[in-house]
Structure formats: C-alpha cells, structure tokens
Amino acid sequence: MAFYYRTRRALPTCLWRRHLSSSSKVPLLWESKSTDSVTLQLYSWGRGASGQLGGGIEEIRIYPSPVASFSLSPTFRLSSPIPGRLPSAPPLLPSSSNDGKVDVDIGISCGLFHSALLVDGNLWIWGKGDGGRLGFGHENPVFVPTLNTHLDSVRSVALGGLHSVALDSLGQVFTWGYGGFGALGHRVYHRELVPRLVQGSWDAEICHVGTSGTHTAAITKSGELYTWGRDEGDGRLGLGPGRGPNEAGGFSIPSKVKSLPASVAAVSCGGFFTMALSEEGELWNWG
C-alpha cells in the first residue's frame, strides 16, 4: 500500500468532497474541518483473493489502484516513530491557523492477508478474517476498509501473519488474532477475536511496536526492547540460548532483550530474525 496526496488550499471541504465523488467512486473515509486541506488517497496492488486490497471484490491488481481517500489538515504526519528513522521533531507546513500543532497522525500496515489504515486514532482494517486477525469479534473476511470500533486513540498499528498489534495514546499495547507460539503475548495460545491488552512487565509507556509472522516486539519510552512469540532455537527474539519461560517453541510472556547495550529507537521483525536501531544510530540484528 502507499499514500498519494495533493493540496487544495482555501476551498471548502464540502465542495472538494463532491468533486472527488463525481470524478471517482473512491470512498472518502475521513474529512478535515479545516478549509486549508490536503487530500490523500490510499493505493493498493497485488493479489487480493482474501479482500486485502480493499476494493470490495476478489481481484488481482497489477498496477496501483485507489482504495480510499481522506482530507486532512496540512499539519498531518505519519505515525511515529517510523521504522528505520531516528526520533525527531516532525516538519510542519506553514499555516496561520494551526499555531504549530500537529492535528492528525496517519499510518498504514500490511499483514499476510490483511491490511490496515490509521487516521487520527481511528483504525480501519480489512482482508482475511481467519483466527480473528481483523478484531471484529468474528472470523469472516472483510473486503473494504471497515472501522474497528473496539479500539480508539490508536497511535500505530503493525500487522503480522495471523495476528495484529496496535499501540494507543496511553502507551498500551493491544493484540488480537491467532495466538500460536505466543505471538499475542497473553500467556495463552488460543485466538482472540477482539483486541486485548498485553500485560507486560515493563514499567514505562510503550512508544513503538513491530511484528511479523509469529513474533512481536515493543520499545518503551526509556529505550528498552521487549519481544515475545515464536523462537525454535533460531534466536529471533534475542533472549539468548535456552527455551522460553513457559512453552517450548515460543515465549508467550513479553521478555526484555537484556543483551542490547544501547537504548533502542526503532525495531522491525522479519520472518526468522529481528533488527533494531539504537538512539545512537547503530543497527543491531539477530536470529
């Protein structure tokens, strides 16, 4: 998925919305109250047999095609921190009315067969529903972007293979979907059909999350890294030799990665490995 945007200055939002409706059938999911707006469109492409492209049907798109649009204040920003980028103050577009305030955070994420869009704390999610990975309370597929009302004030979202992870404005981590190998961090291996709070041992707010097929990572504001999920001796969790604290083949309890000598700014989970970026700009990997 990708974003495309263009500005439309000093034009009433209602007129710009009608213009979008008349020129295309791309749904408008979010509308800014500002008259000085930026219009973004969400694009997707590839194989969409499970509805993950968001076009409403099973299809294959060989070129990027629009899925949804939304109009925002010019002070929008991508949800941070962005994997691979050190924390910094976001640049703001000049505006006489915003007084330097960032109004809206936006973000996107792709899982194995599901997709998500984040706008101003609201989470739209769609695609394959097996295991409860969409968090709607059922396992049915959803073919268009649909608002998940079980969560609010979401800051960032990360989609895995059969599960999903969200971080809210209070620094709390929520997971849902299939919990095989402890990927959800709930000390259980069954599925969660709606988002559930992860009760980790950290004593600070979480500021960044990452996930992959079967393992998950979270960073605290103090730069500590916690991981959980599948690890069958390949070391992807970074916890050293030996089995997990409970079940063989996976750690369902979030555990601190103690071997990192520096505070962590960002983390990304691969299939069988993990990478972290320190606040000093050093890149670490394991698995």
Side-chain angles (χ1 to χ4, degrees), residues 24 26 41-44 55 61 64-68:
S24 69
V26 178
Q41 282 192 321
L42 180 68
Y43 282 73
S44 67
R61 294 179 172 182
S65 300
V67 177

Side-chain angles (χ1 to χ4, degrees), residues 7-264:
T7 59
R8 181 84 168 183
R9 303 182 69 87
L11 179 68
T13 306
C14 58
L15 296 179
W16 183 230
R17 179 175 183 177
R18 284 200 294 267
H19 173 71
L20 283 173
S21 300
S22 61
S23 61
S24 69
K25 294 183 179 180
V26 178
L28 184 67
L29 297 183
W30 184 266
E31 188 173 12
S32 171
K33 296 179 181 179
S34 172
T35 58
D36 194 17
S37 63
V38 175
T39 299
L40 286 83
Q41 282 192 321
L42 180 68
Y43 282 73
S44 67
W45 58 94
R47 182 180 298 275
S50 300
Q52 62 266 41
L53 297 185
I57 60 174
E58 295 184 359
E59 59 181 328
I60 294 178
R61 294 179 172 182
I62 60 174
Y63 298 108
S65 300
V67 177
S69 63
F70 36 100
S71 71
L72 303 175
S73 156
T75 56
F76 79 89
R77 67 178 178 185
L78 294 176
S79 59
S80 83
I82 301 169
R85 179 181 298 176
L86 291 174
S88 61
L92 299 178
L93 297 178
S95 173
S96 60
S97 61
N98 60 53
D99 297 325
K101 178 184 177 182
V102 175
D103 293 324
V104 176
D105 281 348
I106 62 173
I108 55 176
S109 182
C110 294
L112 184 60
F113 293 109
H114 63 312
S115 308
L117 166 69
L118 170 66
V119 182
D120 197 28
N122 298 282
L123 179 65
W124 283 265
I125 193 166
W126 61 97
K128 196 169 187 176
D130 290 12
R133 72 190 84 179
L134 301 183
F136 291 126
H138 58 71
E139 298 185 62
N140 302 323
V142 174
F143 286 83
V144 295
T146 302
L147 183 65
N148 189 315
T149 57
H150 296 289
L151 284 170
D152 56 21
S153 301
V154 180
R155 286 181 52 200
S156 64
V157 60
L159 304 186
L162 299 172
H163 69 284
S164 305
V165 185
L167 176 67
D168 73 3
S169 60
L170 298 177
Q172 300 178 123
V173 180
F174 293 83
T175 60
W176 61 96
Y178 177 60
F181 296 98
L184 301 183
H186 297 312
R187 298 179 174 83
V188 293
Y189 271 48
H190 64 76
R191 63 197 65 191
E192 297 287 344
L193 300 182
V194 296
R196 178 180 172 185
L197 179 66
V198 178
Q199 302 285 355
S201 60
W202 45 74
D203 55 7
E205 293 181 15
I206 299 298
C207 64
H208 179 45
V209 292
T211 194
S212 69
T214 52
H215 75 293
T216 306
I219 302 172
T220 68
K221 277 191 172 181
S222 58
E224 295 179 336
L225 177 65
Y226 289 78
T227 60
W228 61 92
R230 190 171 190 173
D231 191 332
E232 297 180 299
D234 50 55
R236 75 189 81 176
L237 298 184
L239 303 177
R243 309 308 301 174
N246 46 7
E247 301 90 355
F251 299 5
S252 65
I253 299 175
S255 302
K256 182 180 177 180
V257 180
K258 299 179 180 180
S259 58
L260 282 171
S263 296
V264 177

